[in-house]
């Protein structure tokens, strides 16, 4: 009879979702594996190059590389014994397959990880092909990662960041790489990996494939391929994005190549490298001149503001309360929760809800705003939160009557509103309040709200951030917001007069709900846009996925917005 482990891992596509998540196991479809091997074959690798795969799983990528490149040597490392057994059955006997945790060499090794694996492979491989684990649970901490020579183990990072760094350090100079990564690589927290790729390698291809490539995986993916050598001056990266329609019928390597020929365009690597956050804004082409106009104003709008986030609790408000010390903590995902104050086991503690549709007689309750309560130009406190439990990070109590700009973290697009109720919020709501030292002759928050909620900035966000179609768990970050090009008005300037006009019309709109076109016209004047730029904005909105957030902003008349500059 099969053991529990054998039942769990009998076939890669039968892996239980929980086990997949813990291991970051995402097995590569055959067509994508073959395409990745073809991308390697386009590089200058010489005859019969050696190829390695860190986290090789069942060997699909190495098998594709062997068939396409006629490799001299295959090398793979995989921590799961059953997946490794499958790889051994499908790959040549000459393949060097090592059952080990890629990021944890034996304690007897005194060298860094790259040197260790080069020795295991009898030298640096000429190419690396890889679909590294995404979001895997791993015991490697920042200190041991640094000692192992992995510089990306800082701030927010994923296991795939470290796998990619290790692969780039192991492969021979001038060698090639082809990686499948989640499309979180386009997000701000993965700027260090993008910087490494841009500085240390010549990127040949960046392809954003989207969701649905991997069965039962609700995460988009991307492919990055290139050579481990600094890019020569003027080097162009081939870039492409697949929409939901493009992904239909996508099965073979030939299908991927057809989409590549039809949809690809070139972007100078120097453009990505010159960006302060090393963005892969692959959707911006030479035809998107409006993006340059918006970027030219800078992005210093947060300077006069204090920013923060709400209470560290989900909108469900589920908590566990320690029976020993009465300290509460949000309900964790860990199977053996403990009190963060006294360490007592909380598994037997009943789950309590401290967020409700109406306050209860017990405890102190205050109005509460969840992320979904923040909409474009509007916000409402629909819930109540109990505010007298120790152990909950409520943050400073909001002050009623003091205006603050609220921006929703999760969801499609930019959802912002001004609140004066003093309601509590949670961590998926970003808060911005004017500093006491900041003095304006107009409402600065109303000005920012008008620009932030405009179709013009929304189109910029869609195009520059690549948010042109639905993806699971969409969100913005405070860093993303701070980088938006909202000009900081200088006293006495025309920009200040324009900002004051925007603020005034936004205040009217909040009262009447019928001033959107006037706001758009003034925002267009703020950036010095013309009719062609407005056409670009409307084209971006029309070309984005047919989602509610997009549909609500589309206009029946393409001449409704006429940029207006005040005197």
């Amino acid at each position: 009879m099969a053991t529990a482990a054998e039942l769990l891992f009998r076939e890669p596509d039968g892996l239980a979702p929980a086990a997949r998540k813990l291991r970051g196991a995402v097995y590569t479809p055959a067509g994508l594996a073959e395409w990745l091997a073809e991308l390697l074959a386009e590089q200058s690798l010489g005859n019969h190059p050696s190829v390695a795969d860190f986290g090789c799983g069942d060997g699909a990528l190495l098998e594709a590389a062997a068939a396409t490149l006629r490799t001299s040597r295959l090398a793979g490392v995989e921590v799961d014994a059953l997946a490794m057994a499958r790889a051994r059955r499908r790959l040549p006997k000459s393949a060097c397959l090592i059952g080990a945790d890629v990021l944890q060499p034996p304690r007897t090794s005194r060298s860094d990880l790259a040197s260790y694996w080069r020795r295991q492979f009898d030298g640096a491989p000429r190419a690396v092909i890889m679909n590294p684990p995404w979001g895997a649970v791993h015991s490697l901490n920042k200190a041991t990662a640094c000692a192992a020579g992995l510089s990306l183990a800082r701030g927010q990072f994923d296991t795939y960041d470290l796998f990619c760094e290790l692969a780039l350090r192991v492969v021979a100079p001038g060698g090639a790489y082809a990686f499948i990564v989640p499309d979180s690589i386009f997000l701000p927290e993965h700027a260090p990996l993008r910087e490494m790729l841009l500085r240390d390698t010549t990127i040949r291809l960046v392809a954003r494939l989207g969701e649905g490539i991997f069965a039962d995986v609700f995460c988009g993916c991307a492919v990055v391929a290139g050579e481990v050598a600094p890019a020569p001056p003027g080097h162009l990266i081939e870039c492409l994005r697949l929409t939901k329609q493009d992904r239909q019928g996508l099965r073979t390597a030939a299908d991927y190549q057809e989409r590549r020929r039809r949809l690809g365009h070139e972007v100078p690597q120097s453009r990505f490298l010159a960006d302060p956050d090393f963005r892969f804004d692959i959707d911006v082409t030479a035809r998107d001149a409006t993006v340059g106009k918006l970027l030219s104003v800078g992005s210093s709008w947060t300077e006069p503001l204090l920013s923060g986030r709400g209470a560290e609790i989900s909108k469900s408000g589920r908590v566990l309360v320690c029976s020993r010390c009465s300290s509460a903590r949000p309900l964790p995902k860990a199977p053996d929760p403990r009190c963060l104050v006294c360490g007592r086991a909380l598994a037997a503690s009943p789950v309590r809800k401290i967020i409700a549709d109406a306050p209860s007689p017990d405890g102190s309750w205050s109005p509460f705003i969840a992320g979904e309560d923040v909409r474009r130009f509007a916000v409402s406190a629909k819930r109540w939160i109990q505010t007298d439990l120790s152990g909950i990070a409520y943050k400073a109590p909001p002050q009623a009557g003091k205006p603050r700009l609220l921006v929703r973290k999760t969801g499609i697009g930019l959802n912002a509103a001004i609140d004066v109720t003093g309601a509590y919020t949670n961590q998926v709501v970003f808060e911005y309040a004017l500093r006491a030292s900041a003095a304006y002759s107009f409402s600065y928050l109303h000005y920012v709200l008008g620009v932030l909620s405009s179709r013009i900035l929304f189109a910029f966000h869609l195009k520059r951030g690549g948010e042109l179609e639905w993806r699971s768990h969409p969100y913005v970050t405070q860093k993303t917001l701070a980088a938006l090009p909202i000009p900081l008005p200088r006293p006495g300037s025309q920009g200040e007069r324009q900002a004051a006009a925007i603020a005034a019309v936004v205040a009217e709109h909040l009262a009447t709900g019928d001033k959107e076109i006037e706001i758009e016209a003034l925002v267009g004047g703020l950036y010095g846009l013309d009719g062609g730029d407005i056409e670009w904005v409307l084209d971006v909105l029309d070309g984005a996925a047919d989602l509610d957030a997009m549909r609500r902003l589309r206009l029946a008349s393409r001449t409704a917005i006429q940029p207006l500059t005040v005197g």
Side-chain angles (χ1 to χ4, degrees), residues 205-277:
L205 174 75
V206 177
R208 193 165 188 172
L209 306 182
E211 295 190 6
I213 301 297
F214 296 90
D216 301 321
V217 176
F218 302 104
C219 175
C221 70
V223 165
V224 184
E227 298 172 0
V228 184
H235 172 69
L236 299 174
I237 301 175
E238 186 180 357
C239 299
L240 69 140
R241 160 199 284 277
L242 302 187
T243 65
K244 184 177 181 180
Q245 184 177 359
D246 297 323
R247 291 190 290 273
Q248 293 177 0
L250 190 63
R251 294 181 180 85
T252 68
D255 295 331
Y256 283 94
Q257 290 288 51
E258 185 277 329
R259 271 59 163 189
R260 178 187 179 188
R261 287 191 295 270
R262 177 164 53 87
L263 302 171
H265 66 96
E266 294 181 325
V267 175
Q269 183 159 329
S270 58
R271 192 185 89 190
F272 296 158
L273 187 57
D275 185 278
D277 296 312

Side-chain angles (χ1 to χ4, degrees), residues 89-161:
R89 290 195 297 270
R90 75 190 300 174
L91 295 174
K93 291 183 179 180
S94 60
C96 172
L97 298 179
I98 301 172
D101 184 338
V102 170
L103 300 180
Q104 294 279 20
R107 294 182 180 179
T108 54
S109 174
R110 297 185 179 181
S111 59
D112 65 15
L113 274 175
S115 299
Y116 171 81
W117 286 116
R118 282 185 174 186
R119 289 200 306 274
Q120 302 309 302
F121 297 158
D122 293 330
R126 187 65 185 158
V128 176
I129 190 169
M130 191 169 66
N131 176 12
W134 308 351
V137 175
H138 202 279
S139 61
L140 189 72
N141 59 43
K142 295 178 182 179
T144 55
C146 183
L150 298 176
S151 65
L152 296 185
R154 63 181 190 273
Q156 287 183 282
F157 66 91
D158 194 295
T159 44
Y160 78 84
D161 292 295

Side-chain angles (χ1 to χ4, degrees), residues 171-483:
V171 72
Y177 65 89
F179 300 153
I180 304 169
V181 292
D183 74 357
S184 62
I185 192 174
F186 297 94
L187 297 178
E189 54 264 38
H190 296 282
L193 174 57
R194 296 195 299 272
E195 180 183 6
M196 178 174 288
L197 290 166
L198 289 166
R199 291 196 186 282
D200 299 344
T201 82
T202 299
I203 303 177
R204 299 293 179 185
L205 174 75
V206 177
R208 193 165 188 172
L209 306 182
E211 295 190 6
I213 301 297
F214 296 90
D216 301 321
V217 176
F218 302 104
C219 175
C221 70
V223 165
V224 184
E227 298 172 0
V228 184
H235 172 69
L236 299 174
I237 301 175
E238 186 180 357
C239 299
L240 69 140
R241 160 199 284 277
L242 302 187
T243 65
K244 184 177 181 180
Q245 184 177 359
D246 297 323
R247 291 190 290 273
Q248 293 177 0
L250 190 63
R251 294 181 180 85
T252 68
D255 295 331
Y256 283 94
Q257 290 288 51
E258 185 277 329
R259 271 59 163 189
R260 178 187 179 188
R261 287 191 295 270
R262 177 164 53 87
L263 302 171
H265 66 96
E266 294 181 325
V267 175
Q269 183 159 329
S270 58
R271 192 185 89 190
F272 296 158
L273 187 57
D275 185 278
D277 296 312
F278 307 101
R279 290 181 183 86
F280 286 169
D281 53 346
I282 64 172
D283 295 296
V284 178
T285 70
R287 297 187 297 273
D288 299 313
T290 306
V291 170
K293 284 188 178 181
L294 270 64
L295 285 172
S296 67
V297 305
S299 56
S300 53
W301 66 274
T302 56
E303 286 182 12
L305 301 174
L306 293 170
S307 64
R309 299 173 69 172
E312 298 293 333
I313 193 163
S314 70
K315 67 179 180 181
S316 69
R318 294 186 297 172
V319 302
L320 297 174
V321 181
C322 180
S323 59
R324 176 187 292 167
C325 69
S326 299
S327 178
R329 66 172 294 182
L331 183 67
K333 296 179 181 179
D336 184 26
R338 292 187 171 272
C339 177
L340 298 177
V341 175
C342 69
R344 186 181 182 86
L346 298 176
S349 300
V351 177
R352 225 167 116 181
K353 291 191 70 173
I354 65 168
I355 294 176
D357 293 336
S360 71
D362 300 327
S364 299
W365 293 76
S366 296
F368 176 77
I369 294 170
E372 64 191 40
D373 300 326
V374 181
R375 303 174 304 283
R376 185 170 171 268
F377 286 121
V379 61
S380 57
K382 299 179 179 179
R383 302 168 176 84
W384 294 76
I385 183 170
Q386 184 179 351
T387 57
D388 58 354
L389 283 179
S390 65
I392 301 299
Y394 292 106
K395 308 294 177 63
Q399 182 179 339
K402 183 177 180 180
R404 56 184 175 153
L405 179 70
L406 303 183
V407 184
R408 181 180 177 181
K409 175 186 176 182
T410 56
I412 298 289
L414 303 171
N415 295 283
I418 289 176
D419 176 68
V420 294
T421 67
Y424 278 82
T425 63
N426 65 348
Q427 75 269 22
V428 296
V429 177
F430 303 132
E431 303 181 7
Y432 298 89
L434 195 64
R435 295 179 184 273
S437 58
Y440 288 93
S441 59
F442 57 92
S443 172
Y444 185 76
L445 292 184
H446 282 78
Y447 156 65
V448 171
L449 175 62
V451 182
L452 195 61
S453 302
S454 68
R455 289 167 175 79
I456 293 166
L457 206 65
F458 185 54
F460 173 89
H461 172 68
L462 293 177
K463 196 73 171 180
R464 189 102 194 281
E467 302 300 327
L468 295 168
E469 67 168 348
W470 168 256
R471 65 180 174 91
S472 296
H473 315 300
Y475 66 92
V476 294
T477 67
Q478 287 172 302
K479 189 172 183 179
T480 302
L481 293 170

